[in-house]
Each structure stands twice: as C-alpha cells, then as structure tokens.
C-alpha cells in the first residue's frame, strides 16, 4: 500500500511562523512535523511515499532529500499553485497505484499507529475509510457521524471530526479533471451521501497543528 502526505498548504493561520518555513517543517517536540510521519511510516513497514508540495516547496524537497534516511522511496508531486486536497490527490494519482492508498495530512500530530492501515479492509461498497476523532474545541460541531456498523453519515446524533488520516480507493477521484482546485470535503460529502465511506473512531492523542497556540500546547505537553 502506498502513502500520500499532504504538505502543500500555506499555513496562514500560523501567522509569522510560516513566513519563511513551510508548516510541515515546524518543529514539534524536537523534530519537524513531517519527520514524525515519515519515521512512523517507515517503522510500520511502508516503503513508497508521495508528498505533494507547493508553498516554499524547495525547502521541503531539500529537507526530505531522497528519503533514504527513513528507508523510504519518496516521490514529490510539485504543485506550482496549490490544488487543494482532492486536486492534489488527483494530480498524484498515477504514483499511488491501482489499489487503496493511505493519505495523511502532514500538519497533524498523533499517536495513531500506522500499522493499523494494513489491517483495515474496505468493504466492496466503500470508496474510503476515515479515521475520526472526538471533536476538539476548534471544531466543536464535528464533521460526520459514525454508525454502529462503521458507515459515515452527514447527519447523526453525534458528529465526530475527521482526523486527516484515511485510506481511499482511486475510484473516488477518477472523475476529477487533473490540475483543477477542488476541496476534499466536496468529494467526501458526495460519497457519504451514497453511503460509500466507512470509518473508525480513534481516541488516542491527536492534534491539528493549525495555530501557534496549538503548537505551543503540544510542545508544552512534552
């Protein structure tokens, strides 16, 4: 199974912290955010990783190098202008193979075990599997509901937050035109309406490192 790390965003909410440093290279507990992901993927036995870049892309490319220090084969998908999440996945789709692939936001920090991916089975009717978390303060209303049989719904008594960790089948993106900007939420909502996305609840440590305040909280908890 191949993996895509999403690292093309501008990180505007980080204010001056990302003026000269792309968000995936911000330091969290002694190492760059993206390094945590690469180390975990390597330890979990993954080999092939695609990373999309756009904002300050040269700095990410220089930092990653050939990926050999993590024992990974890394392909860079460079976006001259950021294509949003779904657009970025569509651009890189040929590098991700014909089977299900993992997608992870590079700007999250969690102790989710990436070895779990190898035990997740997508139902025949499922186009994706989302890892959901309990709602943080900055997303108190949540995103999607999770039924008892593991199917995601837009409306439910309790909504959860999408963690930015998922597995997708290539078919989810096959009808998108390459090179266009499109948000992942649009694609997911359409599939969820058709009951084509499954999920799980993860209750371990997780944070969307979206603001300087959240970054400080993570580093102070070290």
């Amino acid at each position: 199974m191949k993996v895509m790390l999403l690292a093309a965003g501008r990180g505007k909410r980080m204010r001056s912290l990302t003026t000269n440093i792309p968000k995936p290279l911000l330091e969290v507990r002694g190492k760059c955010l993206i390094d945590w992901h690469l180390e975990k993927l390597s330890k979990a036995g993954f080999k092939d990783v695609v990373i999309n870049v756009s904002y300050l892309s040269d700095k990410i490319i220089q930092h990653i190098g050939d990926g050999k220090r993590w024992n990974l084969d890394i392909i860079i998908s460079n976006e001259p202008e950021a294509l949003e999440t779904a657009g970025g996945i569509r651009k890189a789709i040929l590098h991700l193979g014909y089977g299900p692939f993992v997608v992870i936001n590079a700007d999250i920090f969690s102790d989710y075990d990436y070895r779990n991916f190898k035990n997740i089975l997508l139902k025949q009717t499922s186009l994706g599997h989302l890892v959901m978390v309990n709602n943080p303060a900055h997303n108190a209303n949540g995103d999607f509901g999770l039924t008892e049989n593991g199917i995601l719904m837009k409306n439910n008594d309790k909504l959860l937050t999408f963690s930015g960790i998922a597995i997708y089948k290539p078919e989810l993106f096959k009808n998108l035109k390459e090179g266009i900007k499109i948000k992942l939420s649009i694609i997911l909502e359409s599939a969820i309406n058709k009951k084509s996305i499954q999920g799980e609840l993860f209750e371990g440590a997780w944070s969307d490192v979206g603001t300087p305040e959240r970054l400080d909280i993570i580093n102070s908890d070290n």
Side-chain angles (χ1 to χ4, degrees), residues 22-55:
K23 188 157 62 165
L25 298 190
L26 291 177
E27 191 168 290
V28 174
R29 299 185 181 179
K31 66 184 72 173
C32 294
L33 253 177
I34 200 167
D35 291 4
W36 287 100
H37 296 292
L38 295 172
E39 287 181 9
K40 287 172 63 179
L41 288 168
S42 180
K43 289 178 181 178
F46 290 92
K47 186 69 175 177
D48 299 303
V49 178
V50 178
I51 302 175
N52 74 327
V53 296
S54 183
Y55 176 69

Side-chain angles (χ1 to χ4, degrees), residues 98-139:
Y98 298 101
F101 54 85
V102 175
V103 176
I104 304 169
N105 292 358
D107 60 355
I108 62 170
F109 184 77
S110 80
D111 59 5
Y112 184 82
D113 190 342
Y114 291 164
R115 291 175 297 183
N116 292 347
F117 294 132
K118 298 183 178 182
N119 298 319
I120 293 171
L121 296 176
L122 288 179
K123 300 176 183 178
Q124 188 174 1
T125 56
S126 292
L127 294 174
H129 178 101
L130 307 190
V131 178
M132 308 298 292
V133 295
N134 290 310
N135 298 331
H138 61 85
N139 192 45

Side-chain angles (χ1 to χ4, degrees), residues 196-207:
S196 297
I197 302 292
Q198 63 186 58
E200 64 176 287
L201 173 61
F202 172 65
E203 297 187 277
W206 174 90
S207 177

Side-chain angles (χ1 to χ4, degrees), residues 170-186:
E171 293 88 336
L172 184 61
F173 306 94
K174 68 178 181 180
N175 292 325
L176 300 184
K177 184 179 179 181
E178 183 176 341
I180 64 169
K181 289 184 179 181
I182 185 164
K183 294 180 180 294
L184 181 62
S185 58
I186 297 172

